[in-house]
Amino acid sequence: MIKKVCVQGLGFVGSAMCTAIASSRDSLGNVLYDVVGIDLDTEDGNRKISSINSGKLLFFCEDQLLKKKLEEASLDVKNLRASSDVNEYVDADIVIVDVDLSVQKQGISYSLPVVPTKSFELAIQTFAKLIKPQCLVIIETTVPPGTCKNIVRKIIKEEFSIRGIDSEPLICHSYERVMPGKNYLQSITHIHRNYSANSKEAEKLAKEFFENLIAIDEFPLTKLRDTTSSEIAKVLENSYRAMNIAFIQEWTELAEEMGINLFEVIDSIKKRKGTHDNMMKPGFGVGGYCLPKDALFAQWSLNNYHSDKKLKLPLTLQAIAINDKMPQHTFNRIKSEIHAFKGKSVLICGVSYMPDVADARNSPAKVLYDLIKAEGGICKVTDAILSDYGDGFLQEDVWVGENYNGFDVVVFAVKHSSYLNLDMNKFSQGLKPNCLVVDTFDIFNDDKIKCLLGAGLRVIGIGKGHIKELKELKGLL
Ligand SMILES: NC(=O)c1ccc[n+]([C@@H]2O[C@H](COP(=O)([O-])OP(=O)(O)OC[C@H]3O[C@@H](n4cnc5c(N)ncnc54)[C@H](O)[C@@H]3O)[C@@H](O)[C@H]2O)c1
């Protein structure tokens, strides 16, 4: 029997999740789910709804498979549609929660983060008023550990009780590891998944659902002891990654001081598989929706659900603070080259947080942009793939020019394919003489850097202290 699944929230996660679920088939190739994506009846929500209904994604997407499957599900098979009508929840067999939940960074060293839970609570309450008692609720939103027990269950129980339902709600927590990019869809279906549920019945239904969604022969499911363990797994996973990135920052500065190419050093270490192959590399900064915030959910839980012991996570909090400040280092490096920003023009190329991903949330470019403008510099931003820069930049500062002419400084802040594939001769010919080119992510190899130096340009690189040596070879020092 085809089951009805409602996916609440049609953002970067929900829109891809809807498509993955609608594309699930049984062993005979039969459709398994009728999927309804639900977003808010707002301008933004309705844009997302219309795009799903027309079989298209709203944002730039490199994954051809996701585009094909979305079009197929919405327009051909017609087992995927989107709506803002909450009555869709009434006959749902499964509701999947993919709404946003943010954190405000407050307190000394971020020790008192604030999570505005109101909109998340409203989201849960919306369907809790309508769902069948036997509907399985799967929370995919990243939440403070303990939220399924302290918030989700409580709200659904309350609404059930108002409706005269005395059964225990069926709640599962299972977080997303989705990675927008070339393998967007498969980063949902072909990846190990953790899950946990609040009862044997919920666990059975969740297992059956994920077995249909995930390529479990290759990626068997992992069941965790309880929903809080699964919630912790998500925030620990992202805290570990954030810490890994933060750790490299001081070594970046050391390498620049000592004239070393840290990328080369790290590549040599990463060959030691099993213990060192996930070492992170120097960079410009950390953006996106998850890494800058997720670790703080753990501190919020300690402060709010377990406040008696006043336990802190100092290393974890410091990692987030280091990552937030990272673009300041690029700013300092540029300043030491050009001495003052007043009257100087800077173009930042790359606003999204990841190569070839169209997401400008928490852009590290915004930090650099603000620092430059605060010192009287003229700062423009551009991005090879973004159409929506968010509301952090003045419209007049979004550079839509075709070339890089006329700037005193050009910063490459994201490793987009089009920056990697720049024709160095053409690029360098268009630049102002003596322009400073800043490579923040190992975008240019030594040959390309030599080409720029040979054209009379200045070059610095984050974590690339050896550029000094390249200049000496060119007789430029
Ligand atoms: N973006 C990623 O790569 C990623 C990866 C893994 C996990 N996550 C987590 O997944 C969750 C969703 O992230 P996202 O990037 O898709 O967020 P998003 O902001 O792109 O999308 C959230 C959507 O939920 C909608 N929404 C909010 N309240 C609603 C309600 N009551 N009813 C219906 N819709 C509602 C919003 O309008 C928005 O369209 C977050 O918790 C995030 O941390 C994100």
Side-chain angles (χ1 to χ4, degrees):
M1 200 189 73
I2 294 181
K3 285 189 170 181
K4 178 173 177 181
V5 182
C6 286
V7 176
Q8 187 186 45
L10 293 174
F12 287 90
V13 176
S15 54
M17 186 63 176
C18 276
T19 310
I21 302 167
S23 306
S24 302
R25 298 287 183 272
D26 69 10
S27 55
L28 300 172
N30 298 312
V31 167
L32 286 165
Y33 300 108
D34 200 14
V35 184
V36 186
I38 301 179
D39 212 296
L40 298 169
D41 186 11
T42 57
E43 196 185 327
D44 182 54
N46 284 316
R47 275 193 321 131
K48 288 171 176 159
I49 289 166
S50 309
S51 84
I52 296 281
N53 285 334
S54 61
K56 297 216 162 21
L57 285 166
L58 261 188
F59 43 86
F60 169 89
C61 170
E62 265 209 309
D63 184 0
Q64 300 310 321
L65 183 65
L66 173 58
K67 290 201 239 179
K68 183 173 152 249
K69 293 284 183 188
L70 171 58
E71 199 176 304
E72 207 172 274
S74 301
L75 305 181
D76 302 337
V77 184
K78 297 191 193 320
N79 68 328
L80 168 59
R81 65 200 158 82
S83 171
S84 59
D85 182 0
V86 296
N87 289 310
E88 291 287 357
Y89 293 122
V90 170
D91 55 349
D93 298 295
I94 301 175
V95 171
I96 301 187
V97 177
D98 280 328
V99 302
D100 44 310
L101 180 60
S102 57
V103 184
Q104 290 156 8
K105 297 175 176 175
Q106 292 187 15
I108 298 162
S109 314
Y110 299 161
S111 58
L112 294 171
V114 174
V115 179
T117 53
K118 199 79 215 142
S119 64
F120 178 79
E121 288 168 23
L122 271 175
I124 304 295
Q125 195 184 31
T126 304
F127 63 75
K129 286 177 184 296
L130 299 162
I131 52 170
K132 305 182 280 194
Q134 63 278 30
C135 172
L136 174 69
V137 174
I138 302 178
I139 307 293
E140 285 204 310
T141 294
T142 308
V143 291
T147 295
C148 281
K149 287 182 182 165
N150 289 294
I151 294 184
V152 179
R153 178 179 176 274
K154 191 168 155 261
I155 292 174
I156 304 179
K157 273 294 265 180
E158 272 167 19
E159 292 300 332
F160 274 12
S161 139
I162 293 169
R163 291 162 60 198
I165 301 167
D166 61 6
S167 60
E168 185 61 28
L170 303 175
I171 302 169
C172 164
H173 183 268
S174 180
Y175 58 93
E176 264 310 333
R177 287 171 166 156
V178 61
M179 287 284 272
K182 274 196 192 107
N183 298 316
Y184 202 158
L185 188 65
Q186 291 215 333
S187 73
I188 292 178
T189 57
H190 289 67
I191 197 157
H192 290 283
R193 184 177 271 263
N194 291 343
Y195 75 104
S196 185
N198 68 335
S199 66
K200 285 278 165 233
E201 194 185 345
E203 194 180 293
K204 183 173 160 281
L205 290 171
K207 181 166 178 281
E208 181 189 292
F209 173 70
F210 289 124
E211 281 173 351
N212 289 330
L213 181 75
I214 313 277
I216 49 154
D217 290 347
E218 242 181 297
F219 302 96
L221 304 172
T222 304
K223 180 171 76 70
L224 287 168
R225 177 179 301 269
D226 60 7
T227 50
T228 308
S229 302
S230 174
E231 291 163 333
I232 286 182
K234 173 63 181 180
V235 295
L236 175 56
E237 197 167 308
N238 276 353
S239 304
Y240 173 75
R241 202 167 158 75
M243 177 95 69
N244 222 335
I245 296 170
F247 169 68
I248 289 301
Q249 181 57 24
E250 60 198 34
W251 292 87
T252 298
E253 293 174 34
L254 170 143
E256 289 167 4
E257 178 65 28
M258 292 190 174
I260 296 298
N261 181 355
L262 193 61
F263 290 92
E264 197 178 276
V265 173
I266 292 175
D267 277 339
S268 73
I269 297 171
K270 281 165 78 89
K271 288 188 182 149
R272 192 173 162 189
K273 300 287 175 210
T275 53
H276 288 70
D277 46 347
N278 69 347
M279 189 177 258
M280 299 305 283
K281 294 192 178 172
F284 172 60
V286 180
Y289 192 51
C290 300
L291 286 202
K293 71 162 172 46
D294 285 0
L296 303 181
F297 281 139
Q299 187 61 61
W300 186 89
S301 285
L302 285 171
N303 297 353
N304 290 274
Y305 297 146
H306 306 268
S307 53
D308 50 336
K309 294 220 175 75
K310 308 268 181 282
L311 190 63
K312 297 282 175 231
L313 301 170
L315 268 183
T316 305
L317 300 182
Q318 200 185 352
I320 303 298
I322 290 172
N323 292 343
D324 282 356
K325 278 214 194 103
M326 214 177 267
Q328 172 91 47
H329 176 62
T330 297
F331 173 82
N332 295 344
R333 292 282 318 273
I334 299 173
K335 193 168 175 182
S336 70
E337 292 288 324
I338 66 169
H339 308 301
F341 279 95
K342 199 162 176 50
K344 302 266 172 52
S345 58
V346 181
L347 176 65
I348 306 175
C349 306
V351 170
S352 71
Y353 79 101
M354 246 179 94
D356 301 327
V357 168
D359 184 351
R361 287 178 292 178
N362 297 315
S363 170
K366 172 73 169 60
V367 179
L368 181 60
Y369 169 83
D370 287 342
L371 288 167
I372 292 169
K373 291 192 69 129
E375 293 221 354
I378 302 152
C379 190
K380 305 283 176 194
V381 294
T382 186
D383 192 287
I385 59 164
L386 275 182
S387 50
D388 180 2
Y389 285 68
D391 47 16
F393 304 98
L394 291 177
Q395 196 49 46
E396 72 226 38
D397 288 336
V398 175
W399 177 252
V400 286
E402 286 287 294
N403 55 47
Y404 305 84
N405 299 1
F407 290 95
D408 295 300
V409 183
V410 178
V411 184
F412 286 91
V414 183
K415 215 169 184 169
H416 284 323
S417 309
S418 57
Y419 302 152
L420 281 170
N421 297 330
L422 269 184
D423 176 330
M424 279 296 119
N425 285 321
K426 265 201 212 148
F427 167 62
S428 57
Q429 277 163 19
L431 294 176
K432 201 169 168 178
N434 210 29
C435 171
L436 175 69
V437 178
V438 186
D439 176 1
T440 67
F441 265 120
D442 196 25
I443 294 163
F444 304 131
N445 63 23
D446 284 0
D447 286 342
K448 290 186 174 181
I449 291 172
K450 282 185 205 157
C451 175
L452 296 174
L453 293 171
L457 303 163
R458 291 180 291 159
V459 185
I460 56 171
I462 300 306
K464 296 178 114 181
H466 73 299
I467 292 180
K468 215 163 120 200
E469 189 186 303
L470 300 178
K471 287 179 193 163
E472 275 161 14
L473 287 174
K474 285 266 161 200
L476 297 168
L477 278 182

